[in-house]
Amino acid sequence: MWRDMERLTQKYGLPFKRPSVFPRNTTLAARVAAAFSGEPWIGEYIRRAFVANFGEDCELNDEETVRRLLQGVGQNASAALHAALNTGRREALRNNTEQAMAIDIFGAPNCIVDGELFWGEETLYDALAFAISKGQRHGRTFETIRAAG
C-alpha cells in the first residue's frame, strides 16, 4: 500500500510523507467536509486535507490544522467550524457514514455510479466511463451527470 501511495503521488505530482500515525483520526476534517459538501470550495478543501495528511503528516482532527485548511480555501475558519460542530450540519457526517454502511462502502477512494461500487484509484476511469455510458443510454451528457452529483 505504501509503495502504491508513493507511486501514485509521484504520478500526480503530489507530495508524499508517510503518516507517522495510520490510520489517524480524521473526524474534525471529515465533519467539515460533510457539513459543506455542496459548497464550491469543498473539493479544494478535501484535496488540501489529503495533502496535509499524506504529504505533510498533519493531524486532521486538530483544530489548528483544519483552520489552516479552511483559510486556505478562503473560508472564515471560525464560522465554518462553528457551523460544522454546533448546528444541524453536525449530523451530516453521521448520516453519510450510515448511508455508506447501508450500501456496503468500505475504504477509500470509492464512488458509486448508478448503484455500482467502484473501489480504488485505479477504477476511477472505469467509473467515469460507466457514468458516461449510462448517461448516453438515458439521453444525458457527462456534464448533466456531474451536475446532478
Side-chain angles (χ1 to χ4, degrees), residues 28-29 32-33 36 41-42 45 48 63-82 84:
L28 182 58
V32 169
F36 294 98
W41 52 266
I42 204 63
Y45 168 83
R48 288 173 182 245
E63 187 175 319
E64 287 308 309
T65 298
V66 174
R67 283 181 176 282
R68 179 176 54 85
L69 295 171
L70 286 163
Q71 291 165 349
V73 295
Q75 297 306 301
N76 177 319
S78 294
L81 283 167
H82 177 77

Side-chain angles (χ1 to χ4, degrees), residues 65-105:
T65 298
V66 174
R67 283 181 176 282
R68 179 176 54 85
L69 295 171
L70 286 163
Q71 291 165 349
V73 295
Q75 297 306 301
N76 177 319
S78 294
L81 283 167
H82 177 77
L85 298 174
N86 299 302
T87 67
R89 293 180 186 235
R90 180 179 173 87
E91 294 303 313
L93 180 60
R94 182 179 313 265
N95 294 339
N96 289 355
T97 302
E98 288 172 359
Q99 181 183 3
M101 290 172 63
I103 57 177
D104 294 326
I105 286 181

Side-chain angles (χ1 to χ4, degrees), residues 25-146:
N25 186 340
T26 62
T27 303
L28 182 58
R31 185 165 280 136
V32 169
F36 294 98
S37 64
E39 297 297 323
W41 52 266
I42 204 63
E44 181 61 23
Y45 168 83
I46 292 169
R47 282 186 286 280
R48 288 173 182 245
F50 271 85
V51 168
N53 187 34
F54 292 105
E56 301 167 357
D57 194 24
C58 295
E59 292 294 333
L60 295 181
N61 205 45
D62 176 70
E63 187 175 319
E64 287 308 309
T65 298
V66 174
R67 283 181 176 282
R68 179 176 54 85
L69 295 171
L70 286 163
Q71 291 165 349
V73 295
Q75 297 306 301
N76 177 319
S78 294
L81 283 167
H82 177 77
L85 298 174
N86 299 302
T87 67
R89 293 180 186 235
R90 180 179 173 87
E91 294 303 313
L93 180 60
R94 182 179 313 265
N95 294 339
N96 289 355
T97 302
E98 288 172 359
Q99 181 183 3
M101 290 172 63
I103 57 177
D104 294 326
I105 286 181
F106 61 96
N110 63 64
C111 64
I112 294 188
V113 179
D114 203 30
E116 300 270 344
L117 174 64
F118 291 82
W119 187 83
E121 184 274 338
E122 68 279 4
T123 67
L124 177 60
Y125 291 106
D126 294 335
L128 290 171
F130 187 72
I132 290 168
S133 75
K134 288 293 188 177
Q136 290 171 345
R137 279 189 251 152
H138 293 99
R140 298 184 298 171
T141 65
F142 178 70
E143 287 303 313
T144 60
I145 292 169
R146 196 175 84 186

Side-chain angles (χ1 to χ4, degrees), residues 5-18:
M5 291 287 291
E6 290 171 0
R7 284 191 294 268
L8 285 170
T9 53
Q10 184 177 21
K11 175 181 174 180
Y12 293 113
L14 298 169
F16 179 73
K17 181 177 182 182
R18 186 173 175 172

